[in-house]
Amino acid sequence: MIRRRMVIFPSCLVLMIPYSSELMVRIVTWNQQAKDPPPPRTLVDHLVPRRRFHIIALCTQECENTISKSFFTPTKAKWETAISIAVGPDYDVIRSQALQASHSIIFVHRSLLPLISNVKATVVPTGFMDVLGNKGGIGISFNVGISSFCIINAHLAASQFAVQKRIDGYARISSIVARRMSSNRGRIKNVIDIVKSHTRSRNQISPAKDLAPGWPAKEETLLSMFDFVFWAGDLNFRSNGTRAIIDSLLKADAHQILLNNDQLSLLIQVDPTFNGIEEGPLNFRPTYKFDKESGKCKRSYAKDILIMVHE
Protein backbone atom coordinates (compact mmCIF):
# COMPACT_ATOMS: atom_id res chain seq x y z
CA MET A 1 0.00 0.00 0.00
CA ILE A 2 1.36 3.41 -0.92
CA ARG A 3 1.12 5.49 2.25
CA ARG A 4 1.84 9.19 1.86
CA ARG A 5 0.70 12.47 3.26
CA MET A 6 -1.38 14.57 0.88
CA VAL A 7 0.63 17.12 -1.14
CA ILE A 8 -0.69 19.63 -3.69
CA PHE A 9 1.19 19.52 -6.99
CA PRO A 10 0.98 21.55 -10.20
CA SER A 11 -1.56 20.08 -12.61
CA CYS A 12 1.21 19.31 -15.10
CA LEU A 13 2.72 16.75 -12.74
CA VAL A 14 0.60 13.72 -13.46
CA LEU A 15 3.12 10.96 -12.71
CA MET A 16 1.66 9.98 -9.38
CA ILE A 17 -0.07 6.99 -7.82
CA PRO A 18 -3.44 7.92 -6.32
CA TYR A 19 -3.51 8.18 -2.56
CA SER A 20 -5.55 5.00 -2.10
CA SER A 21 -3.84 2.84 -4.73
CA GLU A 22 -2.14 -0.44 -3.97
CA LEU A 23 1.23 -1.36 -5.37
CA MET A 24 2.14 -5.03 -5.17
CA VAL A 25 5.87 -5.56 -4.64
CA ARG A 26 7.62 -8.92 -4.55
CA ILE A 27 11.03 -9.03 -2.84
CA VAL A 28 13.01 -12.27 -3.08
CA THR A 29 16.39 -13.00 -1.49
CA TRP A 30 18.33 -16.17 -2.18
CA ASN A 31 21.86 -17.37 -1.43
CA GLN A 32 22.38 -19.69 -4.38
CA GLN A 33 25.61 -21.23 -3.09
CA ALA A 34 27.06 -20.94 -6.62
CA LYS A 35 24.62 -23.50 -8.01
CA ASP A 36 23.08 -23.34 -11.48
CA PRO A 37 19.57 -21.86 -11.49
CA PRO A 38 16.69 -24.33 -11.65
CA PRO A 39 14.40 -24.49 -14.70
CA PRO A 40 12.15 -21.45 -15.26
CA ARG A 41 9.05 -23.47 -14.36
CA THR A 42 10.48 -24.15 -10.90
CA LEU A 43 11.28 -20.46 -10.47
CA VAL A 44 7.69 -19.55 -11.37
CA ASP A 45 6.26 -22.08 -8.92
CA HIS A 46 8.44 -21.05 -5.97
CA LEU A 47 9.71 -17.51 -6.49
CA VAL A 48 7.90 -15.40 -9.06
CA PRO A 49 4.24 -16.33 -9.63
CA ARG A 50 3.13 -14.49 -12.73
CA ARG A 51 0.69 -11.57 -13.07
CA ARG A 52 0.44 -10.92 -9.33
CA PHE A 53 2.96 -8.13 -8.77
CA HIS A 54 3.75 -4.72 -10.19
CA ILE A 55 7.40 -4.84 -9.11
CA ILE A 56 9.62 -7.90 -8.64
CA ALA A 57 13.05 -7.51 -7.07
CA LEU A 58 15.39 -10.48 -6.87
CA CYS A 59 18.40 -10.20 -4.59
CA THR A 60 20.87 -13.08 -4.80
CA GLN A 61 24.14 -13.91 -3.10
CA GLU A 62 26.80 -16.37 -4.30
CA CYS A 63 25.01 -16.06 -7.62
CA GLU A 64 26.17 -18.39 -10.43
CA ASN A 65 29.76 -18.57 -9.15
CA THR A 66 31.55 -18.82 -5.83
CA ILE A 67 32.68 -15.59 -4.18
CA SER A 68 36.30 -16.17 -5.20
CA LYS A 69 35.47 -17.10 -8.80
CA SER A 70 33.14 -14.10 -9.11
CA PHE A 71 36.13 -11.82 -8.46
CA PHE A 72 37.41 -12.79 -11.92
CA THR A 73 34.07 -13.69 -13.56
CA PRO A 74 31.42 -11.27 -12.26
CA THR A 75 28.89 -11.88 -15.06
CA LYS A 76 25.46 -13.16 -14.04
CA ALA A 77 24.15 -13.67 -17.59
CA LYS A 78 22.97 -17.24 -17.01
CA TRP A 79 20.89 -16.21 -13.98
CA GLU A 80 19.49 -13.11 -15.68
CA THR A 81 18.39 -15.20 -18.65
CA ALA A 82 16.72 -17.84 -16.48
CA ILE A 83 14.86 -15.39 -14.25
CA SER A 84 13.77 -13.23 -17.21
CA ILE A 85 12.13 -16.27 -18.80
CA ALA A 86 10.44 -17.12 -15.49
CA VAL A 87 9.12 -13.61 -14.89
CA GLY A 88 7.68 -13.53 -18.41
CA PRO A 89 7.20 -11.04 -21.25
CA ASP A 90 4.86 -8.73 -19.31
CA TYR A 91 7.83 -7.30 -17.36
CA ASP A 92 10.86 -5.23 -18.25
CA VAL A 93 14.13 -4.92 -16.35
CA ILE A 94 14.65 -1.37 -15.09
CA ARG A 95 18.05 -2.14 -13.56
CA SER A 96 20.43 -4.97 -12.69
CA GLN A 97 23.66 -4.66 -10.74
CA ALA A 98 26.37 -7.02 -9.49
CA LEU A 99 28.90 -6.80 -6.68
CA GLN A 100 31.27 -9.75 -7.03
CA ALA A 101 29.03 -12.73 -6.16
CA SER A 102 25.95 -10.67 -5.20
CA HIS A 103 23.40 -9.57 -7.76
CA SER A 104 20.19 -7.53 -7.85
CA ILE A 105 17.69 -7.29 -10.67
CA ILE A 106 14.39 -5.39 -10.67
CA PHE A 107 11.49 -6.10 -13.00
CA VAL A 108 8.53 -3.77 -13.47
CA HIS A 109 5.23 -4.64 -15.13
CA ARG A 110 4.97 -2.83 -18.45
CA SER A 111 1.75 -1.10 -17.44
CA LEU A 112 3.74 0.69 -14.74
CA LEU A 113 6.69 1.78 -16.87
CA PRO A 114 5.35 5.32 -17.61
CA LEU A 115 5.47 5.99 -13.84
CA ILE A 116 9.09 4.88 -13.39
CA SER A 117 11.81 7.52 -13.17
CA ASN A 118 15.12 8.35 -11.53
CA VAL A 119 16.56 4.84 -11.61
CA LYS A 120 19.98 4.66 -9.93
CA ALA A 121 22.31 1.97 -8.61
CA THR A 122 25.45 1.82 -6.51
CA VAL A 123 27.59 -0.79 -4.77
CA VAL A 124 29.28 -0.69 -1.37
CA PRO A 125 31.94 -3.33 -0.65
CA THR A 126 32.50 -4.18 3.01
CA GLY A 127 34.93 -7.09 2.59
CA PHE A 128 38.65 -6.92 3.30
CA MET A 129 39.67 -3.29 3.93
CA ASP A 130 36.20 -2.26 2.66
CA VAL A 131 37.55 -2.92 -0.84
CA LEU A 132 36.65 -6.50 -1.71
CA GLY A 133 33.04 -7.25 -2.58
CA ASN A 134 32.85 -10.70 -0.99
CA LYS A 135 30.67 -8.86 1.52
CA GLY A 136 28.78 -5.63 0.96
CA GLY A 137 25.61 -4.18 -0.48
CA ILE A 138 23.92 -3.22 -3.72
CA GLY A 139 21.51 -0.28 -3.66
CA ILE A 140 18.97 0.38 -6.41
CA SER A 141 16.59 3.32 -6.14
CA PHE A 142 13.75 4.56 -8.32
CA ASN A 143 10.56 6.55 -8.26
CA VAL A 144 7.06 5.25 -8.96
CA GLY A 145 5.19 8.46 -9.60
CA ILE A 146 5.87 10.60 -6.55
CA SER A 147 6.74 7.65 -4.31
CA SER A 148 10.43 6.82 -3.90
CA PHE A 149 11.87 3.35 -3.33
CA CYS A 150 15.28 1.98 -2.40
CA ILE A 151 16.03 -1.75 -2.45
CA ILE A 152 19.25 -2.91 -0.83
CA ASN A 153 20.74 -6.37 -1.26
CA ALA A 154 23.29 -7.00 1.49
CA HIS A 155 25.64 -9.86 2.29
CA LEU A 156 26.96 -9.18 5.79
CA ALA A 157 29.72 -10.81 7.81
CA ALA A 158 29.25 -14.43 8.82
CA SER A 159 30.09 -16.18 12.15
CA GLN A 160 28.09 -16.41 15.34
CA PHE A 161 30.24 -13.83 17.08
CA ALA A 162 30.68 -11.27 14.26
CA VAL A 163 27.73 -9.17 15.45
CA GLN A 164 29.67 -5.90 15.52
CA LYS A 165 30.98 -6.53 12.01
CA ARG A 166 27.41 -6.98 10.82
CA ILE A 167 26.34 -3.76 12.56
CA ASP A 168 29.27 -1.89 11.01
CA GLY A 169 28.49 -3.32 7.57
CA TYR A 170 24.84 -2.34 7.82
CA ALA A 171 25.78 1.19 8.94
CA ARG A 172 28.39 1.62 6.20
CA ILE A 173 26.03 0.46 3.46
CA SER A 174 23.21 2.67 4.78
CA SER A 175 25.40 5.77 4.97
CA ILE A 176 27.09 5.41 1.59
CA VAL A 177 23.95 4.47 -0.33
CA ALA A 178 22.15 7.47 1.21
CA ARG A 179 24.99 9.82 0.31
CA ARG A 180 25.26 8.60 -3.27
CA MET A 181 21.49 8.59 -3.80
CA SER A 182 20.98 12.02 -2.25
CA SER A 183 19.56 13.50 -5.45
CA ASN A 184 17.14 10.62 -6.01
CA ARG A 185 13.98 12.72 -5.93
CA GLY A 186 15.39 14.91 -8.66
CA ARG A 187 12.75 16.70 -10.71
CA ILE A 188 9.89 15.93 -8.32
CA LYS A 189 11.79 17.31 -5.34
CA ASN A 190 12.52 20.46 -7.35
CA VAL A 191 8.82 20.88 -8.14
CA ILE A 192 7.95 20.56 -4.45
CA ASP A 193 10.57 23.19 -3.59
CA ILE A 194 9.13 25.56 -6.21
CA VAL A 195 5.62 25.13 -4.82
CA LYS A 196 6.87 25.79 -1.29
CA SER A 197 8.77 28.88 -2.38
CA HIS A 198 5.63 30.39 -3.91
CA THR A 199 3.63 29.80 -0.74
CA ARG A 200 6.23 31.44 1.53
CA SER A 201 5.49 35.01 2.50
CA ARG A 202 7.96 37.57 1.17
CA ASN A 203 8.21 39.05 4.64
CA GLN A 204 9.09 35.73 6.24
CA ILE A 205 12.63 35.59 7.57
CA SER A 206 14.58 32.75 5.97
CA PRO A 207 16.19 30.12 8.17
CA ALA A 208 19.85 30.59 8.98
CA LYS A 209 20.87 27.84 6.57
CA ASP A 210 19.23 29.82 3.71
CA LEU A 211 21.08 32.98 4.71
CA ALA A 212 24.44 31.25 5.07
CA PRO A 213 25.33 28.91 2.17
CA GLY A 214 28.10 27.36 4.23
CA TRP A 215 25.76 26.24 7.00
CA PRO A 216 26.41 22.52 7.61
CA ALA A 217 23.56 20.39 6.34
CA LYS A 218 22.23 17.50 8.38
CA GLU A 219 23.32 14.17 6.93
CA GLU A 220 20.45 12.51 5.13
CA THR A 221 19.46 8.96 6.00
CA LEU A 222 17.81 6.37 3.83
CA LEU A 223 14.56 6.84 5.71
CA SER A 224 14.61 10.62 5.30
CA MET A 225 15.22 10.29 1.56
CA PHE A 226 12.89 7.50 0.50
CA ASP A 227 9.28 6.61 1.17
CA PHE A 228 10.04 2.89 1.19
CA VAL A 229 13.34 1.13 1.90
CA PHE A 230 13.66 -2.64 1.60
CA TRP A 231 16.66 -4.50 2.99
CA ALA A 232 17.07 -7.99 1.58
CA GLY A 233 19.95 -10.42 1.54
CA ASP A 234 22.03 -12.82 3.54
CA LEU A 235 22.26 -10.64 6.64
CA ASN A 236 23.78 -13.47 8.70
CA PHE A 237 22.36 -12.55 12.13
CA ARG A 238 21.97 -15.61 14.35
CA SER A 239 20.27 -16.78 17.51
CA ASN A 240 22.43 -16.41 20.62
CA GLY A 241 23.46 -19.70 22.17
CA THR A 242 25.79 -22.64 21.75
CA ARG A 243 25.22 -25.20 19.03
CA ALA A 244 24.03 -27.78 21.55
CA ILE A 245 21.54 -25.38 23.15
CA ILE A 246 20.16 -24.18 19.83
CA ASP A 247 19.78 -27.73 18.53
CA SER A 248 17.92 -28.77 21.69
CA LEU A 249 15.58 -25.79 21.38
CA LEU A 250 14.89 -26.69 17.77
CA LYS A 251 14.16 -30.28 18.74
CA ALA A 252 11.74 -29.05 21.41
CA ASP A 253 10.10 -26.57 19.00
CA ALA A 254 10.89 -23.80 21.51
CA HIS A 255 10.09 -21.14 18.95
CA GLN A 256 9.61 -18.21 21.33
CA ILE A 257 12.90 -18.81 23.14
CA LEU A 258 14.73 -18.74 19.82
CA LEU A 259 12.99 -15.49 18.91
CA ASN A 260 13.84 -13.93 22.27
CA ASN A 261 17.52 -14.63 21.59
CA ASP A 262 17.56 -13.53 17.97
CA GLN A 263 20.45 -11.10 17.48
CA LEU A 264 18.76 -8.73 15.05
CA SER A 265 15.48 -8.60 16.97
CA LEU A 266 17.42 -7.55 20.06
CA LEU A 267 19.40 -4.93 18.12
CA ILE A 268 16.27 -3.39 16.59
CA GLN A 269 15.00 -2.78 20.14
CA VAL A 270 18.13 -1.12 21.56
CA ASP A 271 20.54 0.01 18.82
CA PRO A 272 19.76 3.36 17.11
CA THR A 273 21.62 2.11 14.02
CA PHE A 274 18.46 0.17 13.19
CA ASN A 275 15.93 2.94 13.83
CA GLY A 276 12.93 2.70 11.52
CA ILE A 277 13.27 -1.00 10.76
CA GLU A 278 10.09 -3.07 10.56
CA GLU A 279 9.77 -6.76 9.92
CA GLY A 280 6.97 -9.21 9.52
CA PRO A 281 6.09 -11.97 11.99
CA LEU A 282 8.71 -14.69 12.28
CA ASN A 283 6.31 -17.59 12.19
CA PHE A 284 8.75 -20.00 10.56
CA ARG A 285 11.55 -22.21 11.76
CA PRO A 286 15.15 -21.00 11.50
CA THR A 287 16.43 -20.91 7.93
CA TYR A 288 20.19 -20.87 8.42
CA LYS A 289 22.47 -23.89 8.17
CA PHE A 290 20.11 -25.98 6.07
CA ASP A 291 21.20 -29.62 6.10
CA LYS A 292 20.89 -30.88 2.53
CA GLU A 293 21.14 -34.49 3.66
CA SER A 294 18.32 -34.44 6.21
CA GLY A 295 16.27 -31.63 4.68
CA LYS A 296 16.16 -29.83 8.05
CA CYS A 297 17.34 -26.44 9.28
CA LYS A 298 19.91 -26.57 12.04
CA ARG A 299 20.66 -23.39 13.82
CA SER A 300 19.27 -19.88 13.64
CA TYR A 301 17.17 -17.21 12.04
CA ALA A 302 18.93 -15.63 9.06
CA LYS A 303 17.02 -12.36 8.84
CA ASP A 304 16.57 -11.70 5.16
CA ILE A 305 13.96 -8.99 4.46
CA LEU A 306 13.46 -5.80 6.46
CA ILE A 307 11.28 -2.78 5.67
CA MET A 308 11.54 0.93 6.46
CA VAL A 309 8.51 3.13 5.72
CA HIS A 310 8.63 6.93 5.75
CA GLU A 311 5.32 7.93 7.30
Side-chain angles (χ1 to χ4, degrees):
M1 176 72 74
I2 299 296
R3 291 182 285 176
R4 288 188 58 88
R5 57 190 180 277
M6 292 297 292
V7 181
I8 304 300
F9 291 93
S11 59
C12 62
L13 202 158
V14 296
L15 296 183
M16 59 186 297
I17 293 179
Y19 180 74
S20 61
S21 293
E22 289 187 349
L23 189 67
M24 302 299 294
V25 180
R26 175 79 159 178
I27 307 284
V28 175
T29 180
W30 181 15
N31 188 320
Q32 296 182 339
Q33 296 184 310
K35 305 297 183 183
D36 287 337
R41 183 69 255 173
T42 302
L43 294 172
V44 172
D45 291 342
H46 295 280
L47 293 186
V48 285
R50 291 182 174 177
R51 299 181 180 88
R52 290 181 55 186
F53 303 98
H54 297 98
I55 298 171
I56 300 174
L58 295 114
C59 305
T60 51
Q61 308 83 41
E62 299 182 40
C63 180
E64 274 199 38
N65 296 312
T66 61
I67 291 175
S68 57
K69 187 175 180 180
S70 294
F71 183 81
F72 302 99
T73 311
T75 179
K76 305 293 184 286
K78 186 186 297 185
W79 164 243
E80 288 194 357
T81 298
I83 196 61
S84 294
I85 294 172
V87 169
D90 294 333
Y91 293 83
D92 281 349
V93 176
I94 62 168
R95 186 67 195 236
S96 65
Q97 183 69 51
L99 172 64
Q100 203 160 323
S102 296
H103 180 263
S104 294
I105 186 168
I106 298 181
F107 295 86
V108 170
H109 194 275
R110 289 185 173 181
S111 64
L112 200 66
L113 287 176
L115 299 176
I116 302 297
S117 65
N118 237 353
V119 181
K120 296 183 179 182
T122 191
V123 298
V124 182
T126 62
F128 181 71
M129 299 292 290
D130 288 334
V131 173
L132 294 184
N134 58 310
K135 293 294 187 285
I138 301 170
I140 299 180
S141 65
F142 54 93
N143 284 19
V144 183
I146 62 169
S147 295
S148 55
F149 292 74
C150 184
I151 298 175
I152 296 177
N153 174 13
H155 196 176
L156 301 182
S159 169
Q160 178 79 1
F161 304 104
V163 177
Q164 189 58 51
K165 285 186 177 180
R166 289 191 278 276
I167 296 172
D168 294 343
Y170 175 92
R172 173 176 166 79
I173 294 167
S174 296
S175 176
I176 293 178
V177 170
R179 186 165 68 247
R180 292 177 181 171
M181 301 291 194
S182 60
S183 61
N184 183 74
R185 298 193 181 212
R187 180 171 63 89
I188 291 176
K189 184 177 185 297
N190 292 337
V191 171
I192 296 173
D193 291 341
I194 292 171
V195 173
K196 287 181 177 179
S197 69
H198 281 292
T199 59
R200 180 185 295 176
S201 169
R202 292 187 179 182
N203 296 325
Q204 181 177 350
I205 298 176
S206 299
K209 65 178 181 179
D210 292 338
L211 296 173
W215 191 271
K218 182 179 179 181
E219 182 179 359
E220 289 196 280
T221 65
L222 288 172
L223 193 54
S224 69
M225 291 171 51
F226 298 99
D227 297 307
F228 298 90
V229 179
F230 296 89
W231 278 82
D234 189 349
L235 304 185
N236 263 319
F237 287 99
R238 319 294 172 89
S239 292
N240 290 320
T242 65
R243 180 61 178 270
I245 291 174
I246 297 297
D247 283 347
S248 65
L249 291 172
L250 286 170
K251 188 174 182 180
D253 285 327
H255 187 76
Q256 192 58 49
I257 296 176
L258 289 167
L259 288 180
N260 291 344
N261 287 276
D262 176 74
Q263 292 175 348
L264 184 54
S265 294
L266 294 170
L267 287 170
I268 289 174
Q269 296 177 44
V270 301
D271 193 326
T273 305
F274 298 92
N275 282 351
I277 286 290
E278 299 178 12
E279 59 181 341
L282 301 175
N283 51 12
F284 53 89
R285 287 175 65 83
T287 57
Y288 176 70
K289 287 294 183 188
F290 184 76
D291 189 335
K292 296 176 183 177
E293 301 298 324
S294 67
K296 296 180 179 180
C297 293
K298 287 183 177 180
R299 187 159 190 174
S300 61
Y301 289 90
K303 294 301 191 58
D304 291 326
I305 297 180
L306 307 171
I307 303 171
M308 306 172 80
V309 180
H310 185 181
E311 298 289 354

